[in-house]
Amino acid sequence: MDDEMTQSLNPVIDKLEDIFDKANAYFYHGNLKRPVITVSPDTANAYGWCTAWKAWADKEDAKIDEGYYEINICSEYLSRPIEQVIGTLLHEMVHLYNLQEGIQDTSRGGKYHNKKFKAVAEAHGLTIEKDEKYGWTKTSLNEDGKKFLQSLGDFKFDLFRKKIPKIGKAASKQSSRKYVCPVCGAIIRATKEVHVICADCNEEFEEDV
């Protein structure tokens, strides 16, 4: 009979909301405005995200600057070790803080994390390392983050979404390659591998795959 019990995401979201509130108090003195916390499939090749706009509102005619940001934890990755899931939540809370404070912490459509993100993140429970494509985004808990995790007690998320199996033929390779400047976001295209420096930023263009 137990195998036929109806499962629900409510306990997962309740737990994430509780962790958010505790992290808000621990790292931000309760100054973050609570977002709408969601759990949904990965559509952005990411463990989670914080929307750059107030995606949720209390009324249909709300203005663009009214409402609530969204923090989403991608459902396929709830099965990761709990310190990694908490690291993702803290990572997205950094974005939320920067949005509230008017700090531009990304470029290239929100994909490339700059040193401003790194600085704020490392002041709020995280260690950040550089990814060649996405900038200062590789996230793990620092000693303060580990101390916060210990304060939550021993738990894990028992429900997660399985990844969709890959079906059919692989997509054909594109005839051209897209390269993006990691600083200003300028784009160039080439039919083969190239190494080009952006004259404005003095940074090498990175292939966008």
Side-chain angles (χ1 to χ4, degrees):
M1 187 68 178
D2 289 344
D3 292 340
E4 298 178 0
M5 291 178 61
T6 300
Q7 294 294 341
S8 171
L9 270 175
N10 289 340
V12 176
I13 294 175
D14 288 346
K15 187 64 178 178
L16 288 171
E17 290 177 341
D18 179 59
I19 296 170
F20 175 92
D21 290 341
K22 290 176 178 176
N24 190 12
Y26 187 94
F27 293 109
Y28 298 95
H29 307 290
N31 290 326
L32 293 183
K33 184 177 180 181
R34 210 216 233 180
V36 173
I37 296 179
T38 61
V39 174
S40 66
D42 174 19
T43 59
N45 193 28
Y47 294 130
W49 62 73
C50 177
T51 59
W53 71 100
K54 293 182 177 179
W56 294 79
D58 295 314
K59 54 185 180 179
E60 187 175 350
D61 59 347
K63 298 179 181 178
I64 191 68
D65 59 346
E66 295 178 342
Y68 312 92
Y69 294 106
E70 172 188 285
I71 285 181
N72 181 77
I73 303 299
C74 293
S75 50
E76 293 91 338
Y77 305 115
L78 287 169
S79 60
R80 292 184 300 155
I82 193 60
E83 61 268 22
Q84 294 180 18
V85 179
I86 299 304
T88 296
L89 179 61
L90 294 183
H91 178 118
E92 303 311 330
M93 290 177 70
V94 172
H95 286 307
L96 180 63
Y97 172 84
N98 288 338
L99 285 166
Q100 288 189 189
E101 296 298 314
I103 299 172
Q104 183 69 40
D105 64 4
T106 62
S107 59
R108 289 171 54 182
K111 292 182 179 180
Y112 191 89
H113 293 56
N114 61 32
K115 289 185 178 180
K116 292 180 181 178
F117 175 84
K118 173 182 170 68
V120 174
E122 293 191 338
H124 296 87
L126 298 175
T127 294
I128 302 296
E129 298 179 13
K130 191 174 185 180
D131 177 87
E132 288 303 317
K133 182 177 180 181
Y134 298 112
W136 297 98
T137 187
K138 291 183 178 179
T139 300
S140 59
L141 300 180
N142 63 20
E143 290 305 313
D144 202 22
K146 292 175 182 176
K147 182 178 177 181
F148 170 71
L149 176 60
Q150 291 174 355
S151 74
L152 299 177
D154 186 21
F155 75 99
K156 65 177 181 178
F157 293 102
D158 294 319
L159 191 64
F160 66 95
R161 189 178 193 270
K162 294 185 288 185
K163 293 184 179 180
I164 300 174
K166 294 183 179 179
I167 301 174
K169 297 180 180 179
S172 59
K173 293 184 179 180
Q174 294 182 346
S175 58
S176 66
R177 304 184 184 199
K178 177 182 176 182
Y179 291 84
V180 182
C181 173
V183 176
C184 69
I187 296 172
I188 62 172
R189 297 186 183 274
T191 57
K192 62 180 182 179
E193 182 178 353
V194 297
H195 298 279
V196 180
I197 300 295
C198 177
D200 293 327
C201 306
N202 198 31
E203 290 284 340
E204 183 174 353
F205 280 82
E206 298 176 351
E207 186 174 3
D208 187 12
V209 295

